[in-house]
Amino acid sequence: MNDDTRVLEADVPVQNVNNNLQEKSKFDGQRAYTKRNESPNSAQSIADLAGTGLDVFILNYSTKDIFDRFIFERTSEQPEVVKLAYATHAKTIYAGDSHVMAADLFSRYVDYKVALSTGELEVELSTHSLRDITYKLDEREQIRRKYFTDNEYHYLFSREAQVDEAALERLNIAQESALSREERKSLIMESIKAAGRTEREAFQPTLNMQRINEIKQTHNNINDRFNAVAAEFGPEVAERFSKTWEQQAQWQENVEKYKRFRDELIQQGLSHAAIEQALLAYQEQHFTANEVKRLHVLTGR
């Protein structure tokens, strides 16, 4: 799974979801359930759950970040597996029926992110007009409204929505034709850094990721990267990214080995059928089904 997604990062990633909207009826039951339970944290509810040793799920402005962190730690897993993992996790931290509400909201949040992750993944500043980007953001807004109630939208996305207009204004400035692509990116990032508190908070994950990417590009050695990230973001963050970078390096090594194996088969002058059979056997031995799909995209066969 891919993160959906923050509005107008340095390269302004937005999602093309024209063909990926789910039928509205799919969510009517979920939305009705949420509306019936939009106030699970009443005094009576909290009193009933007192003494359980578990918290009551409370939808607030930190909910989205909590969901994103849970998903980020399981980026290699399928959406349904991630949903099940969270449902199990919610039972261990939330009392009473509130864990059901948390799992229901998380499930729809995952579906929403999956919808955003399909189709066209990003729009480049240099090749798309402000109108195109505005249209894409409007599409995303429509999807959010289909997946979430007004109350859920408020806590999950309202802060981002508040900065969209300012971000579009910055983009308009950044599309100045006299500036290079890198200058445009720099202008946007500097504008975010100089923005008000609300905007900076909304874009802080973007700024953090930009800094971590800079560290990655600066240090080829994973240990050096770990130390640099740990110095700025703490050892826990460094540990997570270190594991991710190791997995990425291992994946790239496996892809290169596959390419060499394929090229060696071709050089042997084998028939097309023999090559395909050997490649299939190699794929089954060294890759999972999902990795094989990625492999075909990267290598063409």
Side-chain angles (χ1 to χ4, degrees):
M1 290 175 52
N2 294 323
D3 192 3
D4 72 272
T5 107
R6 292 172 292 275
V7 184
L8 299 177
E9 296 184 11
D11 288 324
V12 196
V14 293
Q15 315 299 330
N16 181 357
V17 291
N18 280 334
N19 298 319
N20 299 289
L21 291 177
Q22 304 295 324
E23 292 296 328
K24 185 176 185 300
S25 60
K26 175 180 178 181
F27 309 105
D28 286 343
Q30 293 173 320
R31 292 169 66 89
Y33 172 86
T34 304
K35 285 181 179 296
R36 290 196 301 271
N37 296 278
E38 276 187 350
S39 301
N41 310 303
S42 64
Q44 181 62 44
S45 297
I46 295 176
D48 291 341
L49 298 173
T52 64
L54 300 176
D55 294 329
V56 178
F57 173 67
I58 299 176
L59 175 61
N60 56 38
Y61 292 115
S62 66
T63 299
K64 181 176 181 294
D65 289 337
I66 294 172
F67 284 176
D68 283 336
R69 283 196 295 272
F70 192 90
I71 293 170
F72 176 78
E73 293 172 354
R74 296 161 178 80
T75 53
S76 63
E77 298 176 358
Q78 292 298 305
E80 294 304 319
V81 175
V82 177
K83 291 180 188 179
L84 180 60
Y86 184 83
T88 302
H89 172 69
K91 292 179 181 179
T92 68
I93 60 175
Y94 296 127
D97 290 339
S98 86
H99 75 81
V100 178
M101 298 178 58
D104 172 73
L105 179 60
F106 179 82
S107 178
R108 285 182 283 120
Y109 186 70
V110 170
D111 290 338
Y112 155 75
K113 291 177 75 70
V114 169
L116 289 182
S117 69
T118 56
E120 185 179 349
L121 296 181
E122 66 179 44
V123 175
E124 290 288 343
L125 288 173
S126 58
T127 58
H128 289 77
S129 69
L130 188 61
R131 173 183 288 184
D132 291 336
I133 294 172
T134 302
Y135 178 72
K136 299 291 183 183
L137 295 178
D138 287 342
E139 287 184 321
R140 190 195 63 178
E141 178 75 4
Q142 292 174 13
I143 292 179
R144 286 177 172 177
R145 295 294 183 179
K146 285 180 176 292
Y147 277 81
F148 305 102
T149 66
D150 290 343
N151 185 57
E152 291 167 346
Y153 176 95
H154 173 76
Y155 285 107
L156 294 175
F157 306 114
S158 63
R159 289 186 172 182
E160 289 185 12
Q162 289 176 0
V163 302
D164 279 354
E165 183 176 352
L168 289 174
E169 291 178 358
R170 288 196 297 270
L171 178 60
N172 190 33
I173 296 173
Q175 284 191 331
E176 171 58 50
S177 59
L179 299 175
S180 68
R181 181 176 180 274
E182 290 303 316
E183 288 173 330
R184 295 170 188 171
K185 289 174 60 177
S186 177
L187 178 60
I188 290 176
M189 298 311 298
E190 290 304 318
S191 177
I192 292 173
K193 293 176 183 178
R197 178 180 176 181
T198 300
E199 289 184 74
R200 287 200 306 274
E201 289 179 351
F203 281 96
Q204 193 59 50
T206 299
L207 299 175
N208 291 345
M209 283 304 304
Q210 185 201 30
R211 177 57 187 149
I212 289 173
N213 284 332
E214 289 174 353
I215 292 174
K216 180 182 178 182
Q217 294 172 5
T218 302
H219 302 285
N220 292 326
N221 184 277
I222 290 183
N223 290 331
D224 292 338
R225 291 180 190 171
F226 179 94
N227 293 332
V229 173
E232 293 193 34
F233 300 97
E236 291 184 1
V237 174
E239 183 66 28
R240 290 202 302 270
F241 275 94
S242 179
K243 290 179 179 179
T244 298
W245 290 330
E246 289 177 358
Q247 291 171 354
Q248 291 173 344
Q250 184 61 57
W251 164 253
Q252 188 59 44
E253 181 180 350
N254 291 341
V255 171
E256 293 303 319
K257 287 181 178 178
Y258 173 79
K259 288 181 179 179
R260 290 195 294 271
F261 177 77
R262 178 196 60 188
D263 293 343
E264 290 173 359
L265 291 176
I266 295 175
Q267 292 173 5
Q268 293 174 20
L270 301 175
S271 67
H272 177 76
I275 292 176
E276 291 300 321
Q277 184 176 2
L279 290 178
L280 180 60
Y282 187 96
Q283 292 167 10
E284 291 178 348
Q285 181 179 359
H286 297 281
F287 298 95
T288 66
N290 286 329
E291 287 175 340
V292 168
K293 294 178 182 179
R294 293 175 59 193
L295 189 68
H296 287 172
V297 172
L298 292 173
T299 65
R301 64 190 302 177

